[in-house]
Amino acid sequence: MTTTLTSHRPRPPAQPVTLQARRLPAYAAPAIAVAALLLAAGIVYGADLGGPVLVVVVGALLYLAGLFAAANAVEGRRSARNRTWSALIHSAFVLAVLPLASVVWTLFSKGTERLDGNFFGTSMNNIGARDANGGAYHAIIGTLEQVGIATLITVPLGVLCAIYVVEYGRGRFAFAIRFFVDVMTGIPSIVTGLFVLAFWVLIVSPWFNDGRPGFSGFAAALALSVLMLPTVVRSTEEMLRLVPAPLREGAYALGVPKWKTILRVVVPTALPGIVTGIMLAIARAAGETAPVLLVAGGGAAINFNPLENNQSSLALFVYQQAGEASKYSPARAWTAALTLVALVLVLTIAAKLLARRNRLAR
């Protein structure tokens, strides 16, 4: 007879089952960052290797290494890799924002000195090196007229060109348009200024100026339109290509003609992106100096007529004031730069709101 011996030792209590993994505390990442910066400062300044920039770089590397080690010990290798890559992505965002923030802070800190009525209500006519007054009224007028004329020339031409390439263009001709638009994208602004100088100022303008070539704001607008055109065409083309094909097919199935489908369906759908591309082109044109200097000549007096006589712009005004031998010129240059940025910002916001309103109204 076989006897089976069984143990009557008590079993250990069952562990509660939980689906929540171990996590680093919320203060771990900031604490690691502070410790990394302190250690980096001790290494860099202790060994006399560099300054604050090197401290930040070494601190970032130490932070990534410390974060990976801490997360690997507590959360596991997979979560550690996830935290490290998230930190790298956030660091890239910070690095991208820092230059913009630095530019904005510099503009506001140095450009508010001459934010007064005299700056926006007077020109530099009869203003000497020892005069503290003088403003950019003539340059603001020139920028608005030149960029406005260039926009009126470029936007219809660029949008229609993009519509042709996307909706109608086939074969070699459409390929040639895309090729030359890509080539125009890389043309330096000084080359466009020289082209307008050789063609319009020296050849065409003498016909309307008693045989004498003449500078004008319209010539500057022509040069700016050449710079704006490839940006408008390429951005509009890409936005039109993003419009879903079923929208077109649904309109065709209802018997809507192709031109009306493009006008009432395709373009309104892509309008926000088209407006963004147009504003990028306007921002580039407003900040150009070389074409205005070559074909408009600049000037210190107010000129409301863009078809004759010299005309200045805000970008050219900044360039001229930055090189003037006067202690009052830098303040004018910084305020003009701030005005130019604010002007582009206001136009961009207005265009965005207009595009959004039209889209909601549909």
Side-chain angles (χ1 to χ4, degrees):
M1 185 174 180
T2 304
T3 302
T4 303
L5 299 178
T6 59
S7 176
H8 296 284
R9 290 178 297 179
R11 294 181 179 180
Q15 297 291 334
V17 178
T18 178
L19 298 178
Q20 185 175 3
R22 298 176 61 190
R23 301 284 295 176
L24 283 175
Y27 61 83
I32 294 173
V34 173
L37 285 176
L38 293 177
L39 182 58
I43 294 174
V44 172
Y45 289 119
D48 196 16
L49 298 176
V53 176
L54 186 59
V55 170
V56 173
V57 174
V58 176
L61 296 177
L62 292 176
Y63 168 72
L64 292 175
L67 182 64
F68 179 83
N72 188 36
V74 177
E75 301 176 348
R77 189 173 185 84
R78 182 175 182 179
S79 180
R81 288 198 300 266
N82 179 61
R83 279 184 175 272
T84 304
W85 281 106
S86 298
L88 283 173
I89 294 173
H90 294 150
S91 301
F93 169 75
V94 172
L95 289 177
V97 170
L98 278 178
L100 177 61
S102 176
V103 170
V104 173
W105 170 252
T106 304
L107 283 175
F108 271 98
S109 60
K110 296 186 176 182
T112 55
E113 181 178 348
R114 282 299 315 275
L115 282 178
D116 50 40
N118 181 265
F119 181 84
F120 293 103
T122 60
S123 67
M124 292 298 296
N125 197 25
N126 298 324
I127 299 296
R130 297 183 179 181
D131 294 327
N133 293 325
Y137 180 70
H138 63 297
I140 296 173
I141 295 298
T143 296
L144 292 176
E145 290 185 353
Q146 294 163 19
V147 175
I149 295 174
T151 303
L152 292 177
I153 296 173
T154 306
V155 171
L157 185 61
V159 172
L160 291 176
C161 181
I163 290 175
Y164 171 79
V165 170
V166 175
E167 303 292 340
Y168 297 96
R170 298 293 184 273
R172 295 181 177 179
F173 185 63
F175 175 79
I177 293 177
R178 296 192 189 97
F179 174 76
F180 283 110
V181 168
D182 292 337
V183 171
M184 290 176 64
T185 304
I187 295 178
S189 59
I190 189 70
V191 176
T192 62
L194 289 173
F195 167 73
V196 175
L197 175 66
F199 172 70
W200 182 266
V201 176
L202 299 180
I203 296 178
V204 178
S205 65
W207 297 353
F208 309 98
N209 198 26
D210 298 330
R212 294 179 289 104
F215 294 151
S216 64
F218 182 76
L222 291 179
L224 297 180
S225 65
V226 175
L227 295 174
M228 294 172 59
L229 185 61
T231 303
V232 175
V233 173
R234 293 298 296 173
S235 61
T236 305
E237 180 184 353
E238 295 302 324
M239 291 302 104
L240 293 177
R241 292 186 187 279
L242 292 178
V243 176
L247 291 179
R248 298 179 175 87
E249 295 169 356
Y252 298 154
L254 294 174
V256 180
K258 186 172 184 177
W259 68 269
K260 187 173 289 187
T261 300
I262 296 171
L263 184 63
R264 303 299 297 272
V265 177
V266 178
V267 172
T269 304
L271 186 61
I274 295 174
V275 170
T276 301
I278 292 172
M279 295 314 302
L280 289 175
I282 291 176
R284 182 191 177 185
E288 290 294 340
T289 304
V292 181
L293 180 62
L294 283 175
V295 299
I302 300 172
N303 179 18
F304 288 97
N305 187 358
L307 299 178
E308 60 181 15
N309 297 327
N310 293 16
Q311 196 175 57
S312 185
S313 69
L314 279 172
L316 182 57
F317 181 81
V318 172
Y319 170 76
Q320 292 172 339
Q321 290 300 310
E324 288 287 337
S326 173
K327 65 178 182 179
Y328 304 107
S329 296
R332 299 191 195 106
W334 282 112
T335 305
L338 179 61
T339 304
L340 179 59
V341 173
L343 181 62
V344 173
L345 179 62
V346 169
L347 292 177
T348 302
I349 294 175
K352 286 288 186 180
L353 291 177
L354 181 61
R356 181 181 178 184
R357 179 181 178 182
N358 290 339
R359 181 175 58 181
L360 293 177
R362 290 188 296 272

